[in-house]
Amino acid sequence: MKRTSIIFSLPKSFRMTAAGWGVFVFLLLLPNGGVYMSAQEPVDYFTISGTVKDIYSNRKIESVSVSAAGTHIGTITNDDGEFVLKLPDDSKVSEIELSCIGYYNARISISRNQTQNRTFYITPESIRLNEVEVLSWQNPRDLVKAALDRIEPNYSKRPNLLTGFYRETIQKRHKYINISEAVVRIYKDPYRRSDIENDKIQVLKGRNLVSPKVGDTLNVKFLGGPNMAIYMDIVKNPDLLIAEDVLPYYAYKMGETTTINERLQYVVHFRPQVALLTPLYVGTFYIDRETLALTRAEFKMDMRDKLKVIDVILKEKPKGLRFSPEEVSYIVTYKSRNDKMYLNYIRNEIRFKCDWRRKLFATGYTIIDETVITDNQENNVMKIHGKDAFSSKQSLSQEVSAYFDDDFWGGYNIIEPTESLENAVNKLKKQ
């Protein structure tokens, strides 16, 4: 039986959405194909590992930013609240910093003989009403416009060469059927409006694992997946969501104040207020009250008209296959360092159902792809040449090699796999 897969492509801008940026293509999947990409990697390093919990509830906390104090090196906790941070062996780092939306920052001392499997606690941050000023923004759209006008002073004015980790997982119901991962290098020009032309992604090292079961005949791949760090950087690519001429398409409403990195944030909810030929988004912006920097965005494609969504994202399919999109959602976060904001984390989740005619029940699929920035270089930055860049027409699962050893990443920082993902990897390896 042939294994058929769906390929997604990335949204490059709002205007490209109208031209059909989201494309599904069905084709034969070649299992474990591609080549192994190697790179110069850290060889002498030590690790800090642990779980981050709420100090009151003891709940494990996901998406906590973990960084080595005084460096650009960092990672993020997984869905189980776990992380592993790798530091150069000659590093003099003595503290790590933990930060998460709605929590006080924590700065915790570490020593070489107490770095493994520790539990770290962070404290919820309470906002006292007398600390919150009366909102001066009567029109929340004007606040979003002000954040757009503050891009150049609030974000890096220098070229940056970021190191990141990208993971793409595909689940059939609750079973993983495709796992692709890569360490990537990301070149970014200084932040200016709608200026992503020179930004490039290079895959340094990657691997892929595909279910070999004949029953898993429908697979999913994401064209240009690692390029999420370019196209979903909505501050640098505002045409996607916050360009000045896109703002009138949405209705805005102020939400309850919260904190990020111990700084008060305006919270602005938005939803479509016009009907277009293409779907718009529903979501929330977090804007620093003092600097008006956009620090976080959470948004989903408006699914009220699924036929409209399908018109945008589905190009062709096998005869007899029915497709129903359920959710397309994003999270984009930025982190402050030396009074400038830098891209920190991007997550995309796509849920849909497929079934063949004459079948009673549809099968649910979930794609989750995420990128965390693990290091940053601002001195002597060299651009990534086009011939070395990962194309938006490439699929990572076809370009990298199969899993082989547990020490694959060496000294590179990654998002620690969850327990369920580790179990899935072990099962797929055995198969």
Side-chain angles (χ1 to χ4, degrees):
M1 184 182 296
K2 287 187 177 181
R3 185 190 298 255
T4 311
S5 81
I6 304 174
I7 297 183
F8 293 75
S9 63
L10 289 169
K12 296 184 180 180
S13 73
F14 172 82
R15 289 161 189 78
M16 290 188 68
T17 302
W21 60 259
V23 179
F24 294 75
V25 182
F26 291 77
L27 78 168
L28 178 67
L29 172 67
L30 301 175
N32 294 336
V35 296
Y36 166 63
M37 298 183 181
S38 62
Q40 188 75 30
E41 63 184 66
V43 289
D44 298 320
Y45 62 91
F46 70 99
T47 61
I48 303 163
S49 66
T51 304
V52 181
K53 295 183 177 183
D54 184 299
I55 195 169
Y56 298 129
S57 68
N58 210 41
R59 179 179 64 87
K60 297 176 181 178
I61 307 176
E62 62 186 60
S63 301
V64 178
S65 180
V66 182
S67 58
T71 76
H72 301 306
I73 301 172
T75 186
I76 196 166
T77 60
N78 64 18
D79 290 348
D80 297 330
E82 300 168 345
F83 73 92
V84 172
L85 185 65
K86 300 174 184 176
L87 298 171
D89 214 26
D90 58 358
S91 171
K92 293 181 171 55
V93 171
S94 60
E95 293 179 315
I96 61 170
E97 298 175 326
L98 309 177
S99 63
C100 183
I101 183 171
Y103 283 84
Y104 287 109
N105 291 353
R107 197 174 176 107
I108 301 170
S109 298
I110 57 169
S111 61
R112 295 286 182 107
N113 59 352
Q114 291 181 325
T115 59
Q116 301 299 305
N117 302 318
R118 289 180 58 181
T119 300
F120 301 90
Y121 293 97
I122 55 177
T123 304
E125 185 168 10
S126 57
I127 303 172
R128 293 188 293 274
L129 292 179
N130 60 359
E131 291 181 349
V132 182
E133 298 173 358
V134 176
L135 292 177
S136 57
W137 297 94
Q138 299 301 319
N139 186 340
R141 186 202 294 180
D142 290 343
L143 174 58
V144 178
K145 171 64 167 56
L148 181 67
D149 292 338
R150 294 282 299 169
I151 288 176
E152 291 190 33
N154 278 331
Y155 298 81
S156 179
K157 296 182 178 180
R158 304 172 63 185
N160 280 250
L161 192 61
L162 313 177
T163 302
F165 176 74
Y166 174 82
R167 175 179 289 135
E168 186 179 296
T169 62
I170 302 162
Q171 292 175 268
K172 178 182 179 182
R173 298 187 181 94
H174 298 293
K175 181 181 67 176
Y176 289 94
I177 59 174
N178 195 327
I179 304 165
S180 300
E181 301 172 320
V183 171
V184 296
R185 180 177 288 140
I186 307 162
Y187 172 81
K188 283 188 174 290
D189 263 349
Y191 273 71
R192 293 182 290 269
R193 291 195 201 181
S194 304
D195 187 20
I196 62 170
E197 182 179 347
N198 293 322
D199 292 5
K200 297 287 188 296
I201 302 284
Q202 181 182 10
V203 173
L204 301 179
K205 191 175 187 179
R207 62 185 186 178
N208 170 248
L209 190 61
V210 180
S211 170
K213 288 188 175 181
V214 175
D216 295 328
T217 55
L218 183 66
N219 211 329
V220 186
K221 290 185 289 185
F222 196 18
L223 285 181
N227 283 287
M228 290 282 292
I230 296 176
Y231 299 131
M232 299 310 300
D233 182 351
I234 63 171
V235 171
K236 204 159 193 286
N237 186 26
D239 283 353
L240 179 68
L241 194 59
I242 60 172
E244 190 168 350
D245 56 346
V246 173
L247 297 182
Y249 296 146
Y250 293 94
Y252 299 88
K253 180 181 178 181
M254 297 301 297
E256 186 175 343
T257 300
T258 189
T259 61
I260 296 177
N261 200 28
E262 296 185 355
R263 295 177 64 88
L264 286 171
Q265 306 287 314
Y266 291 120
V267 177
V268 181
H269 304 297
F270 61 91
R271 58 176 177 79
Q273 67 174 356
V274 298
L276 300 179
L277 295 176
T278 55
L280 296 171
Y281 296 95
V282 178
T284 303
F285 294 132
Y286 298 81
I287 299 171
D288 186 279
R289 194 183 68 172
E290 182 179 341
T291 66
L292 300 185
L294 179 65
T295 56
R296 182 183 177 97
E298 304 167 358
F299 52 102
K300 299 180 179 181
M301 189 173 287
D302 185 357
M303 305 297 290
R304 288 177 295 179
D305 189 338
K306 289 192 176 182
L307 290 178
K308 191 181 294 185
V309 174
I310 291 172
D311 284 342
V312 171
I313 63 178
L314 185 62
K315 184 174 183 180
E316 59 181 81
K317 63 181 180 63
K319 186 177 181 180
L321 183 73
R322 292 183 293 193
F323 170 82
S324 176
E326 300 293 317
E327 180 179 301
V328 182
S329 62
Y330 302 92
I331 297 174
V332 184
T333 74
Y334 298 86
K335 189 172 183 179
S336 176
R337 189 173 61 250
N338 299 329
D339 297 323
K340 296 293 180 183
M341 302 296 292
Y342 298 83
L343 183 67
N344 182 56
Y345 177 68
I346 295 176
R347 177 186 172 97
N348 170 217
E349 182 170 345
I350 303 171
R351 293 191 296 106
F352 63 95
K353 289 183 178 180
C354 284
D355 70 333
W356 299 93
R357 286 178 187 147
R358 299 180 182 175
K359 281 196 173 183
L360 185 59
F361 299 107
T363 301
Y365 291 83
T366 303
I367 309 171
I368 295 177
D369 56 274
E370 53 186 340
T371 302
V372 61
I373 304 306
T374 58
D375 207 348
N376 184 15
Q377 175 185 341
E378 289 187 287
N379 297 318
N380 303 316
V381 169
M382 300 291 290
K383 291 185 177 182
I384 296 173
H385 296 295
K387 63 182 179 62
D388 298 322
F390 192 86
S391 168
S392 59
K393 297 179 181 180
Q394 291 177 288
S395 170
L396 183 65
S397 63
Q398 287 186 308
E399 299 297 328
V400 295
S401 64
Y403 272 65
F404 56 97
D405 67 82
D406 294 332
D407 229 2
F408 182 80
W409 300 116
Y412 285 117
N413 278 296
I414 69 169
I415 303 171
E416 187 68 3
T418 60
E419 183 178 356
S420 60
L421 184 59
E422 281 188 331
N423 292 337
V425 167
N426 291 331
K427 289 180 181 178
L428 289 175
K429 281 182 177 180
K430 290 177 181 178
Q431 293 169 6

